[in-house]
Amino acid sequence: MRSLKFLIVIFLAVNFANCQAQKQPNIILIVADDLGWGDVGFNGQDKIKTPNIDLLAKQGMVFNNFYAGSTVCGPSRASLMTGMHMGHSTVRGNPRWTATGKPVDITKEDVTIAEELKKAGYQTAMIGKWGLAENLEEGRPNEQGFDYFYGFNKHRPAHHYYPDSIYENNKKLVIDGNNWKKKEKHYIQDMFTDKAKNYLRKQNDKPFFLYLAYTTPHYELTVPEESKKAYRALDWPLREMKPRHYLHDKNGHVTYAAMVSRMDQQIGELMSQLKEQGLEENTIVIFTSDNGHEYDNVKNEFFNSNGPYKGRKRDLYEGGVKLPFVVKWPKKIKPNTYSNHISAYWDLLPTFCDVAAMNPTANIDGISMLNSFKGKDKKQLIHDYLYWEFNEGRGPIQAIRKGKWKLVKRYQKDFELYNLDEDEGETKNLASENSKILDDLKTKLVDARTENENFPLIKLNPNKK
């Protein structure tokens, strides 16, 4: 009898140990704002120093074909949170760009990453720029599955780096001593980093999801002076920035580079905190951006922020939607590797569900990337196509990617068809030479979307009340 009891105890102990070893991984998703594909060292940037982000790339896997949900932040973040592309998303444009001119937020019917992960036992936190609760109602992070929130609900307040106030959960807090007009006292990116580090210090044996959405390097261009020192010494040509709504610092090139490098340094601090807490081995860390760059002048490039690609923010060419993307997962993802799997923002929700050993609740557009994470591209499900639409000043514009082919339809312009395998810069329109492919993609362009009264594909007037 004693032997039987002993065996039972050993069996239970082994199973407990196995359960501990198989604990669901923590997930940290870090998103920059308006950071171009080419603004990081691992994608060839040689002026702006990003050693900590580049280290993540060496320790993990770089995705060479990862795309934003949209070419501007609001709809892109909605796609990220809900697993829907622009043909089905609740939010398809930034606040003013709706049929009524009134902002549209995600709703209680939308199922977010945070809501899904909470069902799997995760703690959830959102720190930084949310941008999906312009109406301060059901779109707020605490109403969308996040246990903790510190940041901007709306877009416009996030345009300033020394805000007078910030939200913690659903409470608006005054930031002591801050003056956004004079750019005094606490730099909000520093505060986001401190909150994220404090959040890590509080973690124990329960899995967590931390969504850290920096506003760097979105306009306005400003950063504490100590971050500029290394770049001032390089004697770069002056690109003078004029302060208007955005209270830019004068020296654009130096400021932009310093903002990115300060964020990189803070990501390094976060990774050190993760290691100090003993959480590194069981944490997935992802770094990416929300859409293409805005700062670099594509007609007179200095940083080459879009690398070999055409366009920038507000374009549906590659430079507007292709993103830097790196994922690190110790002992699960082989270090210093890459994947050419074609994926997008709407794939992260099902990927995180897959990681948490659950299925998504809603019928979504995303496909889990987990097999690609693990180097099993041959087993990875692939998209039939990726779809985008965008309707601001030059809109409406639509685009679709199917394998190597990319179709772009601009307002009152002919269709553009590109072979991305042979022409990644989208320089040669092949529409007249490939009628069968063109017809197929034109059909998909129609089938990819459902009508949405808030976001019709007609010319919009942002001043309409």
Side-chain angles (χ1 to χ4, degrees), residues 110-121:
D110 288 310
V111 182
T112 67
I113 291 175
E115 289 175 308
E116 297 285 26
L117 290 179
K118 279 183 70 66
K119 295 169 189 173

Side-chain angles (χ1 to χ4, degrees), residues 377-421:
D377 272 349
K378 291 183 178 179
K379 294 184 178 181
Q380 175 65 53
L381 295 176
I382 62 174
H383 286 282
D384 183 27
Y385 58 82
L386 303 183
Y387 172 82
W388 302 269
E389 63 183 54
F390 177 64
N391 198 358
E392 287 193 11
R394 290 176 291 171
I397 312 171
Q398 293 173 277
I400 199 161
R401 176 172 182 175
K402 180 179 173 62
K404 67 182 181 180
W405 294 102
K406 173 90 170 283
L407 182 72
V408 178
K409 178 64 178 78
R410 298 163 61 201
Y411 182 62
Q412 294 183 336
K413 302 283 185 180
D414 291 334
F415 285 96
E416 301 171 25
L417 181 67
Y418 302 103
N419 182 337
L420 296 180
D421 282 358

